[in-house]
């Protein structure tokens, strides 16, 4: 125990009471320094601008000041239980924060309340002068040490009542309510306090009209909040899941909800600005001769290919509100109207800007939430002091089911053991050759399988394409349609099977720490998904989009869109199948045949990575399939309910500890970095460098997609002089790379500053923690020496029986100064936090 | 104190409202629950014995239930029996709107098993034993317990109520809302999911 000084106090002798009185001067000097510290600290506070520091600082000063304030009372309560320690030591001891906290006597609480009320009163009197840190000292309202508790309590109470009476009614009520006294006590106090008022129905008579109004408004506001919170998606289900499976599983479902909100946003923007206008003014197109087989729903071909779903359907016309639909779609006259009052809606432009803006906003939201969650996961104690949180704050008093209570205890036990083993075995290392070999083998297996999977997908895609070319010459049959589903099927199979292999490999590796194991498995799965998507993107954008004629495609954008649609769908089907077979059947099998009691465990990392994969597909396909977010929304909704019911029926809570906050940070950063960034790179690549197909879509007859904006700007310049500045804006913002560079620079700077601030806070926190520890050590040392001095005084004639006294004193006179100065030097930020110690040493010197 | 009458007086109600963090409805509901605890023959009693309080479904399986009763009880017998006012105190301290100071005060007292005003090694051991449950396989071994108690992080924290307060601020789940469960299942889910798991 580094900090807590362990005092085994025995009852004290009565006569020592006398000596207690004599030390008032020393006590005063101590208080004087305490008071000084207040003003000194205000200065420091101004220097330290960071909020967290301020809070910590004020808390630290609180600790010290409260210690000073309560020194007198605690001694009273402790008087009867001590014997061996000298009175001075006892006095010092009792003024220590650790001793004065837990004394839960009514007396003390009342006096604390008293202090607070005087503070409040002072605050009201001189609002501008009193800052948070410079609290008024108790000295002015000195509580005389009185030998009789009862008497003192009475005077205290009277004082408190007086203090309270000088406050406003609202403050009184608030102060009384916030006092940790029993209700009966509070009722008594309240009667005393409000005795000067005649009216007994206090609530109505004393609360002024405006505050009644405020109260009513508060009620309405809370009612609104309540309704709002009840509107939050799936609140009940999430609560239930969290109560049963813990925060880890909950983070998965919250992640689904986050993704759902992203997709709803994408869908709304796309639907409003792109799909809706086009749906109101549909283009003329030849009625399709496709048979309806139902398979189109899966492949996206047939009648679906010529619908609002895909890129190919959209026109390159401008819609005018006055134009009739058939005129508008013909693209004659309306497109180049010269009437400035007419609202023209340029579909290609809308397409370009809608996609751009959705990506932009999504990116900003992602980065923002990432920074937020980074900030959260590096909070004060989360950085290191996990143990204390686990012990003091891990119990959820909400849990009332017996099973859940057992589950919670089990979880806490495993987590505690986890932490203890981390503390103990931090430096333990394997370092064996066989271990290295196993790791090498595992990595080569996983990397090799990933590589072969990607290669296989590449070859298979090529092969399937050749087959499709052959088929295209003949009659279109159902079989050919179904063959389109082969590639997504193979990819999803790989996605399903390889993680199983990785699990097997990591089981073989036998990691020491479950966290390392988790990160390794996430990394491997991620690598697999990234390489698969990379190969597919190369296939679509590098091969098909580059020479669409060679592949016999009229409209390659629609084809790629259909492919992505198929991938999304097949991925969902495979997930559903996995849920049924992997979880339901397996549970039945293992319970029925293998007679195992344990149910399968819900694999959070893998499920989250699947979600991320699906979201990447959606982002990739946004350009080619504007309605893909709608499909993703449906998928996520179904997935939520499917996973929820499967979880409730089949699975059990994981026994592994799961640091939910850190994991959600990881998830969101994975979503941001490879997933979103990859999607944005490939979409930008498509817009900037690939020639859109000339036969379909909004960008037909353009060399590149981004030319539509250019064209529009030039048109605008020639037709509408009032809006010519938009051309300039477009030129500056979109075509000039300088702006983009500036934007990126500012963005990076903001990120940099943010990380610096976080880093600084963390450093300060560790400094403060060290400071606390040092203070504890110093206190312990000083108290021991104080005791020694006292013993030396008491037994001056028998040095042999108490040899350590003088020795300790000598030591202290050397070392005490040293510690004092070294403390002063080590903590440049907080030199005054040694004040308590200074007070102590002053006292000691006054004594000797 | 005579507050166990079937109907609370208007003045008393407003007084309770003023002195606790509960609303009128909650106080009435608490009163209903409390009168249910008193059986017919002991209607004239002013306090409910601890065994009865512990039979509340919200407290039934809570490992700290006895401590909670003892902390909130004002009876001179130290038997953990609760008067209605004590019961209201309990609900008020556990409600959402209670201040952190109140919560940490009572949390400290609940965790201070031997009522000596400090959280020392013995308290810590009892606390951990409560957390880990009664069964043999979930308990920490003596060696682990020793290690935990001597853990510097904990001992830095162990005596400081301010630190506990800060911890509470960090992690809201420590004190939750018995109030919610006492006011019916429809409001149970008003308490938001734990902050630790919240994704933005």
């Amino acid at each position: 125990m580094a900090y807590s000084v362990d005092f085994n106090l025995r009852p004290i002798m009565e006569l020592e009471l006398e000596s207690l009185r004599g030390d008032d001067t020393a006590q005063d000097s101590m208080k004087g320094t305490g008071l000084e510290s207040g003003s000194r600290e205000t200065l420091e506070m101004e220097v330290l601008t960071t909020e967290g520091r301020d809070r910590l600082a004020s808390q630290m000063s609180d600790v010290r000041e409260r210690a000073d304030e309560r020194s007198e009372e605690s001694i009273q309560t402790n008087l009867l239980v001590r014997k061996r320690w000298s009175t001075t030591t006892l006095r010092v001891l009792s003024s220590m924060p650790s001793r004065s906290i837990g004394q839960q006597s009514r007396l003390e609480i009342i006096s604390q309340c008293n202090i607070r009320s005087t503070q409040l009163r002072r605050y009201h009197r001189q609002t501008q002068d009193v800052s948070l840190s410079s609290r008024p000292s108790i000295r002015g309202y000195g509580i005389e040490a009185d030998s009789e508790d009862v008497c003192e309590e009475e005077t205290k109470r009277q004082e408190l009542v007086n203090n309270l009476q000088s406050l406003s009614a609202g403050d009184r009520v608030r102060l009384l309510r916030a006092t940790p006294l029993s209700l009966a006590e509070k009722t008594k106090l309240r009667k005393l306090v409000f005795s000067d008022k005649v009216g007994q129905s206090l609530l109505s008579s004393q609360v002024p009209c405006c505050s009644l109004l405020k109260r009513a408004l508060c009620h309405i506001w809370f009612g609104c909040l309540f309704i709002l919170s009840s509107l939050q998606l799936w609140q009940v289900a999430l609560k239930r899941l969290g109560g049963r499976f813990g925060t880890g599983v909950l983070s998965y479902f919250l992640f689904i909800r986050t993704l759902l909100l992203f997709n709803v946003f994408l869908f709304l923007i796309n639907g409003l600005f792109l799909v809706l206008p086009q749906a109101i003014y549909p283009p003329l197109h030849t009625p399709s001769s496709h048979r309806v087989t139902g398979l189109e729903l899966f492949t996206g071909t047939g009648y679906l290919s010529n619908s609002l779903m895909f890129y190919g359907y959209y026109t390159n016309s401008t819609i005018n509100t006055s134009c009739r639909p058939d005129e508008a779609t013909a693209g004659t006259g309306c497109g180049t109207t010269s009437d400035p009052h007419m609202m023209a809606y340029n579909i290609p432009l809308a397409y370009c800007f809608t996609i751009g803006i959705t990506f932009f906003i999504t990116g900003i939201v992602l980065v923002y939430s990432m920074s937020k969650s980074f900030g959260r996961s590096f909070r004060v104690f989360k950085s290191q002091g996990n143990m204390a949180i686990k012990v003091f704050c891990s119990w959820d008093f909400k849990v009332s089911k017996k099973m859940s209570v057992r589950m919670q205890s089990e979880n806490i036990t495993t987590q505690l053991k986890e932490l203890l083993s981390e503390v103990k075995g931090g430096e333990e290392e394997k370092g064996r050759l066989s271990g290295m070999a196993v790791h090498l083998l595992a990595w080569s297996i996983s990397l090799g399988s990933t590589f072969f999977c990607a290669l296989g997908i590449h070859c298979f895609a090529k092969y399937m394409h050749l087959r499709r070319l052959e088929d295209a010459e003949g009659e279109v049959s159902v079989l050919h349609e179904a063959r389109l589903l082969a590639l997504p099927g193979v990819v999803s199979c790989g996605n399903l099977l390889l993680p199983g292999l990785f699990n097997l490999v990591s089981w073989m590796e036998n990691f020491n720490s479950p966290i390392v194991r988790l990160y390794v498995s996430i990394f491997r799965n991620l690598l697999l998904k990234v390489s698969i998507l990379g190969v597919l993107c190369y296939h679509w954008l590098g091969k098909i989009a580059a020479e669409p004629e060679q592949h016999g495609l009229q409209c390659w954008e629609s084809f790629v869109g259909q492919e992505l649609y198929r991938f999304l769908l097949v991925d969902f089907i495979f997930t559903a199948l996995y849920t049924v077979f992997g979880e339901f059947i397996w549970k039945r099998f293992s319970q029925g045949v293998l007679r195992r009691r344990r149910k399968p465990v819900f694999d959070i990392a893998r499920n989250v990575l699947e979600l991320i994969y699906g979201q990447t597909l959606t982002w990739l396909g946004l350009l080619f399939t504007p309605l893909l977010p709608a499909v993703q929304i449906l998928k996520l909704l179904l997935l939520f309910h499917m996973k929820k019911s499967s979880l409730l029926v089949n699975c059990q809570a994981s026994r592994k500890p799961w640091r939910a906050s850190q994991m959600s940070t990881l998830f969101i950063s994975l979503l941001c970095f490879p997933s979103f960034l990859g999607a944005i790179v490939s979409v930008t690549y498509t817009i900037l460098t690939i020639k859109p197909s000339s036969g379909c879509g909004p960008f037909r007859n353009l060399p590149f997609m981004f030319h539509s904006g250019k064209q529009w700007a030039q048109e605008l310049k020639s037709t509408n002089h009032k809006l010519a500045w938009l051309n300039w804006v477009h030129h500056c913002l979109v075509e000039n790379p300088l702006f983009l560079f500036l934007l990126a620079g500012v963005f990076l700077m903001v990120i940099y500053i943010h990380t610096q601030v976080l880093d600084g806070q963390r450093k300060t926190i560790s400094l403060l923690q060290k400071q606390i520890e040092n203070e504890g050590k110093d206190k312990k040392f000083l108290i021991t020496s104080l005791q020694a001095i006292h013993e030396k005084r008491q037994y001056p004639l028998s040095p042999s029986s108490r040899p350590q006294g003088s020795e300790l004193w000598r030591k202290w006179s050397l070392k005490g100064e040293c510690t004092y100065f070294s403390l002063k030097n080590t903590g440049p930020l907080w030199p005054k936090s040694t004040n308590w110690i200074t007070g102590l040493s002053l006292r000691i010197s006054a004594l000797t | 104190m005579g507050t166990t009458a079937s109907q609370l007086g208007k003045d008393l109600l407003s007084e309770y409202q003023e002195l606790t963090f509960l609303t009128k409805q909650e106080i009435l509901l608490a009163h209903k629950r409390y009168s249910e605890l008193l059986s017919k023959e002991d209607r004239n009693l002013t306090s409910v014995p601890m065994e009865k309080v512990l039979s509340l479904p919200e407290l039934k399986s809570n490992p700290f239930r006895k401590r909670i009763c003892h902390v909130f009880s004002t009876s001179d017998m130290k038997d953990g029996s609760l008067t209605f006012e004590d019961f209201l105190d309990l609900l008020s301290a556990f409600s959402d709107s209670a201040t952190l100071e109140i919560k940490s005060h009572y949390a400290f007292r609940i965790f201070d098993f031997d009522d000596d005003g400090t959280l020392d090694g013995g308290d810590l051991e009892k606390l951990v034993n409560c957390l880990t449950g009664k069964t043999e396989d979930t308990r920490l071994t003596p060696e682990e317990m020793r290690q935990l108690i001597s853990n510097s992080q904990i001992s830095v924290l162990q005596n400081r109520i301010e630190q506990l307060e800060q911890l509470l601020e960090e992690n809201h789940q420590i004190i939750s809302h018995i109030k919610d469960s006492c006011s019916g299942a429809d409001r149970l889910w008003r308490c938001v999911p734990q902050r630790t798991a919240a994704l933005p």
Side-chain angles (χ1 to χ4, degrees), chain A residues 3 183 187 388 397-398 400 413, chain B residues 15 61 89 138 157 160 174:
Chain A
Y3 177 67
L183 203 55
T187 320
F397 281 73
K398 234 176 294 178
S400 56
T413 315
Chain B
E15 194 180 314
S61 24
D89 257 342
T138 56
L157 279 169
R160 309 196 139 213
I174 176 160

Side-chain angles (χ1 to χ4, degrees), chain A residues 554-845:
Chain A
Q554 279 283 309
C555 188
W556 64 266
E557 290 94 343
S558 280
F559 176 77
V560 173
Q562 284 164 4
E563 287 265 278
L564 282 161
Y565 173 74
R566 283 191 288 261
F567 269 88
L568 206 63
L569 222 60
V570 170
D571 183 54
F572 172 65
I573 291 168
F574 268 74
T575 315
L577 286 179
Y578 175 76
T579 311
V580 171
F581 285 101
E583 288 172 6
F584 183 65
I585 305 275
W586 174 247
K587 176 213 160 199
R588 281 293 154 90
F589 178 72
S590 71
Q591 284 194 331
V593 181
L594 300 178
R595 306 238 166 249
R596 276 194 215 155
R597 274 229 337 274
R598 301 206 80 90
K599 296 169 172 181
V601 171
F602 187 74
D603 190 349
I604 301 164
R606 176 182 177 162
N607 279 297
V608 166
L609 283 175
E610 257 158 34
L611 283 183
I612 290 177
Y613 171 73
Q615 192 55 44
T616 319
L617 288 180
T618 313
W619 277 326
L620 277 176
L622 199 62
L623 184 63
F624 312 114
T625 321
L627 277 181
L628 204 59
V631 180
Q632 175 79 350
I633 288 172
L634 279 181
K635 181 187 151 183
L636 288 174
L637 283 175
L638 283 175
L639 203 67
F640 182 87
H641 290 290
M642 207 170 66
K643 284 282 175 194
K644 190 189 87 183
S645 44
S646 158
L647 198 66
L648 289 176
V649 173
N650 301 326
C651 295
Q652 65 170 21
S654 167
R655 297 195 79 182
K656 277 183 220 159
W658 189 270
R659 309 235 171 113
S661 64
Q662 284 176 22
M663 279 300 117
S664 49
T665 311
L666 181 73
F667 294 156
I668 206 100
S669 31
L670 283 184
L671 190 69
C672 188
F673 165 59
S675 162
F676 183 70
L677 209 68
I680 222 171
V681 162
S682 50
V683 166
T684 325
Y685 176 76
T686 315
I687 288 178
L688 291 183
T689 60
I690 299 180
K691 186 182 182 309
S693 47
S694 52
C696 64
F699 304 110
R700 62 192 87 172
N701 306 324
L702 286 176
F704 299 111
M705 286 184 189
F706 76 95
H707 271 255
S708 66
K710 217 181 207 171
Q711 209 175 31
W712 164 76
Q714 272 160 7
E715 245 169 52
L716 198 72
K717 201 176 177 186
S718 55
T719 55
N720 196 336
H721 294 287
K722 271 181 203 161
L723 291 173
W725 57 273
L726 266 177
N727 177 37
W728 180 81
V729 169
H730 178 267
H731 181 78
C732 283
L733 296 192
V734 181
E735 284 167 30
N736 204 341
L738 189 70
F739 175 72
L740 277 179
F741 274 122
L742 268 179
L743 203 72
V746 167
F747 192 64
L748 284 178
M749 233 145 79
V750 167
I751 291 178
Y752 177 75
I753 289 171
H754 201 77
T755 50
Q756 283 301 306
V757 166
L758 269 181
D759 203 45
Q761 278 172 349
R762 236 179 307 163
K763 267 183 197 152
T764 318
I765 286 160
S766 65
L767 259 180
L768 283 177
Q769 277 174 343
K770 212 177 270 172
Q771 191 88 51
I772 288 173
E773 219 167 296
N774 282 345
E775 259 193 72
K777 276 180 198 161
D778 279 21
K779 236 187 264 178
K780 197 174 180 175
F781 171 76
L782 286 173
I783 280 163
T784 335
S785 43
L786 182 66
Q787 174 68 12
I789 293 158
H790 193 81
E791 277 168 13
K792 200 179 88 182
R793 277 168 138 206
Q794 247 186 353
Y795 310 98
L797 299 175
S798 54
S800 52
S801 61
R802 303 251 166 207
Q804 66 270 65
S806 54
E807 239 171 69
L808 264 174
W809 165 238
R810 225 175 292 127
K811 258 190 205 162
W812 176 75
S813 54
L814 287 174
K815 209 168 140 196
E817 292 298 320
C818 287
T819 22
Y820 172 54
F821 284 116
S822 71
L823 257 175
K824 232 180 168 174
N825 292 335
T826 48
L829 285 171
W830 311 99
K832 260 303 159 191
S833 60
T834 54
N835 235 318
W836 199 87
I837 313 270
T838 326
L840 254 185
S841 41
L842 270 177
R843 245 191 104 165
I844 292 169
S845 53

Side-chain angles (χ1 to χ4, degrees), chain B residues 56-79:
Chain B
L56 278 174
E58 288 82 21
L59 286 176
K60 216 172 180 174
S61 24
N62 194 320
F64 298 102
R65 56 187 182 276
K66 283 195 181 146
R67 279 303 303 163
I68 292 175
C69 277
H70 276 293
V71 163
F72 285 97
S73 167
T74 49
S75 109
D76 298 325
M77 313 273 287
K78 304 252 180 263
D79 56 353

Side-chain angles (χ1 to χ4, degrees), chain A residues 3-4 55 101-102 104 177 182-183 186-187 190 254 369 376 387-389 392 395 397-398 400 409 413 664, chain B residues 15 18-20 61 63 89 105 117 131 138 151 153 157 159-162 167 169 174 176 197-200:
Chain A
Y3 177 67
S4 80
R55 225 187 58 190
I101 288 155
Q104 304 305 339
R177 192 186 292 163
S182 78
L183 203 55
K186 277 197 238 176
T187 320
R190 181 178 163 280
L254 285 172
S369 49
R376 245 204 316 264
M387 185 80 91
I389 289 177
F392 290 117
W395 190 262
F397 281 73
K398 234 176 294 178
S400 56
S409 329
T413 315
S664 49
Chain B
E15 194 180 314
E18 204 175 290
L19 292 178
T20 61
S61 24
D89 257 342
H105 172 91
L131 288 178
T138 56
N151 184 294
Q153 283 163 0
L157 279 169
N159 286 322
R160 309 196 139 213
I161 205 157
E162 281 81 7
L167 270 181
E169 215 170 289
I174 176 160
S176 63
L199 276 166

Side-chain angles (χ1 to χ4, degrees), chain A residues 104-154:
Chain A
Q104 304 305 339
S105 68
R106 272 184 322 196
L107 177 69
E108 198 166 310
I109 294 165
I110 289 176
S111 59
Q112 212 180 325
C113 186
N114 209 341
I115 291 159
R116 234 180 299 155
S117 70
T118 52
Q119 278 166 15
L120 206 63
R121 208 175 56 187
R122 277 195 168 191
Y123 181 76
H124 282 298
R125 217 180 288 150
Q126 31 172 314
T127 330
Q128 62 269 55
D129 289 344
V130 180
S131 74
L132 189 78
S133 60
S134 64
R135 288 187 168 201
S137 160
I138 186 65
R139 198 151 61 123
Y141 303 84
I143 301 151
E144 288 299 308
D146 208 310
S147 53
E148 282 186 54
D149 266 10
V150 188
C151 181
E152 195 185 351
E153 195 177 328
E154 274 311 308

Side-chain angles (χ1 to χ4, degrees), chain A residues 467-477 480:
Chain A
R467 285 297 298 269
R468 213 183 58 80
L469 279 180
E470 284 168 25
D471 292 342
E473 287 156 14
E475 187 65 27
V476 179
S477 69
H480 295 153

